[in-house]
Amino acid sequence: MKRLLYILSIVIIPQFIVYMVITRTDNQCVINKEGPTELKVENYTRKADRINIMVADHSKFEILQQEFERPQDVTLACLSCHTERHHELMANNHWTWERSEKLAGRDSIVSLGKKNIINNFCIGINGSEKTCVRCHIGYGWGDKEFDFTKKENIDCLVCHDQSGLYKKGKGVSGMPVEGLNYNIISQSVGSPKRENCGICHYWGGGGNNVKHGDLDKAMNSCSKDVDVHMAIEGEDMSCIACHTTENHVIKGKLYALSSEDKNRATCEQCHTDKPHNDKVLNNHGDRIACQTCHIPEYAKANSTKMVWDWSTAGRLNDDGSQIHESDADGNHNYLSIKGTFVYNDHVKPEYMWFNGLADHVLITDSITSIPIQMNTLMGSYDDKGENCESTSCSKIWPVKVHRGKQPWDPILRKLVQPKLWSKNKGDSAYWVDFDWSNSITAGMKYTDLPYSGEYDFVETEMYWPLNHQVSTAAKALQCTDCHTSSEDGRLAELKGFYLPGRDHYDFIEYIGILLVLLTAAGVIIHGGIRIVLRKNCLHSKEE
Amino acid sequence: MKVYIYKGFERFWHWTQVTLIVMLALTGFEIHGFYELFGYREAVMIHDRTAWGFLALIIFAIFWHFTTGEWRQYIPTIKLVKEQAQYYITGIFKGAEHPTNKLVYNKFNPLQRLIYLGLKILVIPVMVLSGFAYMYLIYPNETFVLGSLGPVAAVHTLGAFFLIVFIIAHVYLTTTGHKPLSSIQAMITGWEEMSEQEAKEMVKSEMEYSLKVAKYNLITNKDRSAFLDEALMETEAKLGVKCNNKLHDVISNSGAGYFRIGMDGTYQEVNESWVSLYKYESIDEIIGKNYSLSRSKDSFAQLQETFNKVLKGETVEHGLVIRHCKDGSIGYHTLTMTPFTKDNKIVGVEGIIINIDRDNATKLQWDNENNK
Ligand code: HEM
């Protein structure tokens, strides 16, 4: 018996050792099965530890109790105590709507911003400033003559109002609506809350969540299913918790506008570049953006616009009135002034290599390929940076791709800027007169650019790397969402590099499987013959 | 008859390796995308850890092979490869004898040697190297980075397929031992069931080996007469032939006889086995007689030649020899002769003879001729 045990132990002990080796539990990941373990974060104060002290009660300041005639007077009142702050703001691109950027792949530095960029939503602001500047932090930008040096034109309230009463008007060059009580509003001020940022950043492109797909008014008050960070029952974070701000310099820029990899808000700020307790997962971070796994889908609460086709715009009812058509979810799918749309919700992102740098099509650029990439995201598998100590190494990013069809000049092969908005008929504004030729001529004249006189519609794509609507860890992508040969694999389209589980070499597969089958067949045949000729074989010849 | 052929470490190593490779293969092909078993993430984790275990085991095993000299088992030989292959192709169906035997100092048949060697120096290192390259050389923040994972993965996957092929063939070939399960049993218990014939062969080779070892060890050689006993004991210990009382039977059956002949050509000492091989009744009948008595005329001349060579200091392995027994019958044995020295002077020859029965004799003869 003892001997038997000893003998068996030689077979059993190895199994035991192997079992011990492979089930060491020391590097479980952050989400283990028993429930979430404490997430490690730095540079961040948790909700439970936040202290809410009001530093100054603005209702006690006499200057804010005066009767305000104009919103500009409020600004002057602010600046009377917060002196010199206007310098900070006037340098901020929320004010300038442009910044000097070196575009990826080009040598020259350009001045680029909302002021002059072309996108594939409302195309561009030129000629339509009066309505577009509703999202400008200023008062009175109606045309090219706006004075960017006049400090009273800064709109402090749009960001700092905490009463919820402040509101900018439509088509009034960034002025607030009539009849606001500036005493209540100005005395309420505080650091910006989500609502303040959201009023522009949710509503870009002319509707809630239209542009980004991951910035939605629902995020003012949402559950963890929409965004783990902002969830009310969770950490309830404000925008500026990540987009940290000092002296009105706000961290984070929009990739759709900004080309350089500077002053970005990143996950690593708080989560470090080794957020998991699992080495394999952390290593993934070398080539995969956090967002890729942690934002498995966007437009989680409300739909976002996926396609915008301007070419169908201009269809009117028989009586000349405008057409509004909506899809089953209540999202517009046709508007006379804008054309045809496709909205979608719970969208799976597309995935691209991206190193943080972008190029942008300028209105002066000659188009060389169609669909036009409005903001080419730079990067490739082979772009590993200089050993990737910086963020310049390309990573796989989740991207919302907005596909459009918009007017261009097929003769000069350039995009065009139509004039869209006017208060009055006969002012060449497309949204009033529905005449492309006139509106483009007017827009191009306004921007001092040549126009051949012919227009057509061209396909465009615009890329929106996703950063918000982060899911809970439990809903993050799992290995086989990418490591799969299935056509539904998240990275099925991102070819050009070897991905384990997705890729294989056919010839190796054929050789391997063939060899295995041949061997198995050989064994079966050989063994079969031995069994059939049992008398002679298997060495059972009794001694 | 059972013979001890696999030592404790060897068996431990083998079974650990089995488990590790099976785990690596199971998880590896899951990672490759063939099926879902552990879950991808778990599979990767197991694969990585098992790989480390495998590396550790390999280091142990290398150490063991070199400290024990077991590495010699893998020295490739092309001798008998053809016969071995022939055996698997036809012989096995006719119930022929294995052309080669599991000997302690030659556990593996020539085909096995080649395959195991290939496995050890090609497939496994390739798997380990490509595996660790896969694990570490793909991250851009390392100083040395592979351009692409593709080639590494290709090599690794191909190697994995080869391992599967090996495993299938290997497991099947274990059933071709004495009985279908005797090889597997041996790897578990260390003791392999063999036919009498195989055991004899094994003892023979063991004796030859001991003789060689002894020749190097016992240079001063005061108690050389006790040499055979030592060799036997050593053999016994190494072989661990299971029933002790049977050992002497085995050895005598195997035909291991000892003799010593003086300068004058007369027998000075023989052992029991020798006596019975030559079918004499007692040792006394031999001692003092000239060695010509045990030979036919032809072979006597040949033997004399050998004898003189040995007296000059050579060790001669004579290969097949025909002997004349007392009763006039004929037997076959192999003969190994070495000089017998006293005070550093050659005073005679001693040697060992190992009996060979008819079937094997023909084979050996054939071998001898082919080797010349
Ligand atoms: C020390 C030895 C080994 C090391 C270091 C190693 C390492 C690796 C690594 C790092 C991977 C990539 C997936 C992952 O990150 O886990 C991998 C994949 C794989 N391994 Fe191993 N491995 C070893 C031995 C083996 C063995 C012995 C087999 C099979 C019998 C095997 C079969 C595979 C297969 C089939 C894949 C998938 C390859 C692909 O589809 O690209 N590995 N191995």
Side-chain angles (χ1 to χ4, degrees), chain A residues 297-479:
Chain A
E297 58 177 38
Y298 60 97
K300 292 186 203 165
N302 291 298
S303 305
T304 185
K305 197 175 281 184
M306 304 304 296
V307 176
W308 181 334
D309 181 358
W310 281 96
S311 69
T312 59
R315 193 155 52 81
L316 296 171
N317 287 321
D318 292 342
D319 62 357
S321 63
Q322 293 185 18
I323 301 172
H324 302 258
E325 286 169 1
S326 294
D327 63 17
D329 296 329
N331 298 306
H332 289 308
N333 54 12
Y334 184 80
L335 289 179
S336 301
I337 57 167
K338 294 183 175 176
T340 312
F341 311 131
V342 177
Y343 277 84
N344 201 359
D345 55 17
H346 296 276
V347 191
K348 280 188 187 178
E350 294 177 41
Y351 297 92
M352 299 182 177
W353 288 105
F354 181 40
N355 61 14
L357 306 178
D359 187 16
H360 298 269
V361 172
L362 306 177
I363 193 164
T364 48
D365 285 346
S366 294
I367 302 305
T368 48
S369 70
I370 295 171
I372 301 170
Q373 302 198 340
M374 305 303 282
N375 59 329
T376 309
L377 302 183
M378 297 297 166
S380 69
Y381 171 75
D382 295 319
D383 167 27
K384 296 180 182 172
E386 287 192 11
N387 277 334
C388 273
E389 304 299 352
S390 70
T391 48
S392 60
C393 162
S394 292
K395 298 185 182 189
I396 296 173
W397 271 76
V399 179
K400 172 191 165 179
V401 180
H402 180 256
R403 296 185 162 81
K405 216 170 174 191
Q406 69 194 72
W408 76 317
D409 182 337
I411 309 296
L412 299 177
R413 294 188 70 81
K414 285 179 181 173
L415 286 168
V416 294
Q417 170 67 70
K419 178 180 167 70
L420 293 173
W421 187 89
S422 174
K423 226 175 196 152
N424 312 309
K425 263 192 186 308
D427 204 8
S428 305
Y430 186 79
W431 286 346
V432 187
D433 300 343
F434 298 103
D435 181 330
W436 279 118
S437 193
N438 281 348
S439 81
I440 296 169
T441 310
M444 296 306 276
K445 196 167 160 227
Y446 184 85
T447 46
D448 291 327
L449 288 167
Y451 171 50
S452 73
E454 269 184 53
Y455 71 93
D456 196 357
F457 293 87
V458 66
E459 283 174 9
T460 55
E461 287 181 354
M462 191 167 182
Y463 309 105
W464 297 80
L466 298 166
N467 287 288
H468 309 99
Q469 297 199 347
V470 174
S471 290
T472 54
K475 288 197 176 153
L477 291 191
Q478 299 298 307
C479 311

Side-chain angles (χ1 to χ4, degrees), chain B residues 235-275:
Chain B
T235 312
E236 180 189 71
K238 278 182 190 146
L239 290 178
V241 173
K242 207 165 187 181
C243 334
N244 270 347
N245 53 350
K246 251 193 167 182
L247 173 68
H248 284 96
D249 297 352
V250 171
I251 289 172
S252 55
N253 286 344
S254 79
Y258 173 80
F259 64 89
R260 196 173 83 223
I261 301 173
M263 290 294 276
D264 56 357
T266 58
Y267 284 105
Q268 293 178 341
E269 197 183 322
V270 295
N271 72 343
E272 292 279 351
S273 316
W274 195 97
V275 172

Side-chain angles (χ1 to χ4, degrees), chain A residues 280 498-504, chain B residues 20-22 24-33 40 43-45 47-48 50-52 54-55 58 124 127-136 138-139 149-150 152-154 156-157 159-161 163-164 167:
Chain A
V280 177
Y498 186 91
L499 177 64
R502 180 191 71 176
D503 297 321
H504 56 253
Chain B
L20 289 171
I21 290 188
V22 166
L24 283 166
L26 282 177
T27 53
F29 281 104
E30 171 161 13
I31 294 165
H32 190 60
Y40 201 89
V44 168
M45 241 143 45
H47 198 82
D48 286 6
T50 314
W52 282 106
F54 193 42
L55 184 70
I58 287 173
I124 289 182
M127 288 310 278
V128 173
L129 290 178
S130 62
F132 281 101
Y134 208 142
M135 224 186 265
Y136 286 109
I138 56 173
Y139 298 111
L149 201 53
V152 179
H156 200 68
T157 311
F161 277 119
L163 270 174
I164 300 298
I167 290 168

Side-chain angles (χ1 to χ4, degrees), chain A residues 24 27 509 526 530 539, chain B residues 32 49 87-88 172 175 178:
Chain A
R24 274 180 348 204
N27 52 353
E509 228 70 346
H526 198 271
R530 274 171 68 206
H539 294 262
Chain B
H32 190 60
R49 289 172 187 176
Y87 168 75
Y88 285 132
Y172 175 67
T175 66
H178 179 59

Side-chain angles (χ1 to χ4, degrees), chain B residues 77-95:
Chain B
T77 165
I78 44 160
K79 226 172 105 184
L80 295 181
V81 168
K82 218 176 89 194
E83 288 70 31
Q84 187 67 34
Q86 196 67 35
Y87 168 75
Y88 285 132
I89 294 167
T90 57
I92 189 168
F93 303 122
K94 301 181 200 139

